[in-house]
Amino acid sequence: MPFDLTETSHAGKARTAAGDRAVGAWLLGIAAMVLVMVALGGATRLTGSGLSIMEWRPLTGWFPPFSEAEWQRLFDLYRTIPQYAAVNAGMDLAGFREIFWLEYLHRLWGRLIGVAFLAGFAGLWLAGRIRRDLVPRLALLFALGALQGFVGWFMVASGFFPHRTAVSPYRLVIHLGLAFLILAALLWTALGLLRRPAAEWAPAPLRRGVIATGLLAILAMLAGGFVAGIRAGFDYNTFPLMDGRLVPAGYGALEPWLMNWFENVAAVQFNHRLVATLALGAALWLAAVAWRQRGRSAAPAALLLAGAVALQYLLGVLTLVHVVPVGLGTLHQTMAALVLAAFVNALDRMRPRAGPGRP
């Protein structure tokens, strides 16, 4: 009967909305784990721990060494690579254990993310909470996570080459960029499931400001990956000038010229500063626009993005002038992920959706 059909329809919609909220909350939890992974990756890189484990065992590498003989075997492996001879010559087994544990935790946390994803998917699927049309997207998210594990090893393996004492900056940027892509995809999907439809499109100036600020911030993050990859942050530790100049003297020293953007310390650091400053300028403009539009539903998210970019800029300056201490450097990388999260949040707040819970 029509009344019964209507009730069933309402009940079905309520169950779908409840399921979407459960899936969205689960994906937010996974995104939080990815954020921790980004922080661990920064600490691992800054402490020089990333090359301490020379074996890739994605399925069997859950446990650390339990015997003295196994510790010694891994230490002997580490002593065969250039980083040991050039950077850590004379390190004893106790010193090796210190760098080993951080890299081990980094890899273990990655495995735990995979387990949390698969266990969450299985539980929600068995409980009937996952819509069938979401399955391809969730499968893609899992595939990206698995790919990140491979890319991580691809990056680490580059540090074992005879001429290297650290990983390839190009592979580092790929690894970092993929982490940011995974985080953005998780958040975009989760927020789309958790939020009600927006009442209206955000005004064009607000949309343009959010997009310009977010894209410039992402470009600054990728440029920062090259700064990290060639350790450019340990030179020119003054701000705003570099060795007393706005543009450093050695900016175009390499041939072909394009290589300066990726392998020249002076150029890489200058470019990072330049793009970050452009992002800050866009953020200040966005803040002014959002303040004028503060009655709009998207304005608070835009102001949050602008504030996050400004805070990240300040952290970058502090990290530079203090010559990249591990704590500040890790916080700077973590804040980059939070800026990305603020950008995804602002984009989500600006779009109306066709119906409740549509990602």
Side-chain angles (χ1 to χ4, degrees), residues 11-24 26 120-135 138 193 357:
K13 288 180 179 179
R15 283 194 300 271
T16 298
D20 284 353
R21 287 193 297 271
V23 174
W26 161 60
F121 178 88
L124 290 167
W125 178 261
L126 291 174
R129 299 284 191 169
I130 299 178
R131 290 187 273 118
R132 290 186 181 275
D133 61 312
L134 277 177
V135 172
L138 297 176
L193 291 166

Side-chain angles (χ1 to χ4, degrees), residues 88-172:
N88 290 324
M91 172 184 281
D92 58 11
L93 183 57
F96 172 73
R97 281 175 168 160
E98 290 181 7
I99 64 172
F100 174 93
W101 282 117
L102 190 52
E103 174 63 8
Y104 169 76
L105 179 60
H106 182 56
R107 297 192 189 193
L108 177 63
W109 193 255
R111 293 184 174 96
L112 290 175
I113 292 174
V115 170
F117 193 98
L118 288 175
F121 178 88
L124 290 167
W125 178 261
L126 291 174
R129 299 284 191 169
I130 299 178
R131 290 187 273 118
R132 290 186 181 275
D133 61 312
L134 277 177
V135 172
R137 185 180 299 195
L138 297 176
L140 177 59
L141 288 171
F142 181 77
L144 286 173
L147 176 63
Q148 178 70 323
F150 171 77
V151 169
W153 175 250
F154 177 69
M155 176 192 68
V156 169
S158 68
F160 304 148
F161 296 162
H163 62 289
R164 303 204 65 92
T165 60
V167 300
S168 162
Y170 299 98
R171 298 188 187 189
L172 173 64

Side-chain angles (χ1 to χ4, degrees), residues 128-294:
R129 299 284 191 169
I130 299 178
R131 290 187 273 118
R132 290 186 181 275
D133 61 312
L134 277 177
V135 172
R137 185 180 299 195
L138 297 176
L140 177 59
L141 288 171
F142 181 77
L144 286 173
L147 176 63
Q148 178 70 323
F150 171 77
V151 169
W153 175 250
F154 177 69
M155 176 192 68
V156 169
S158 68
F160 304 148
F161 296 162
H163 62 289
R164 303 204 65 92
T165 60
V167 300
S168 162
Y170 299 98
R171 298 188 187 189
L172 173 64
V173 171
I174 292 171
H175 188 51
L176 183 64
L178 184 55
F180 286 151
L181 175 63
I182 292 169
L183 178 61
L186 285 166
L187 290 172
W188 183 256
T189 303
L191 293 176
L193 291 166
L194 290 168
R195 287 231 174 97
R196 295 178 179 178
E200 58 185 354
W201 282 103
L206 198 60
R207 294 200 307 271
R208 288 194 293 265
V210 165
I211 292 170
T213 302
L215 291 181
L216 284 169
I218 290 171
L219 187 58
M221 293 173 202
L222 296 178
F226 283 103
V227 171
I230 66 172
R231 297 175 63 83
F234 290 89
D235 291 290
Y236 303 102
N237 299 104
T238 57
F239 187 86
L241 300 180
M242 299 177 65
D243 200 18
R245 299 165 59 104
L246 184 61
V247 180
Y251 185 95
L254 299 184
E255 294 290 342
W257 191 87
L258 186 61
M259 288 297 99
N260 288 287
W261 288 6
F262 310 111
E263 299 180 13
N264 179 345
V265 168
V268 165
Q269 193 191 125
F270 176 82
N271 289 347
H272 182 48
R273 292 185 183 209
L274 175 62
V275 180
T277 301
L278 291 174
L280 177 64
L284 295 176
W285 170 53
L286 173 61
V289 172
W291 185 255
R292 289 195 298 269
Q293 302 281 349
R294 57 186 179 275

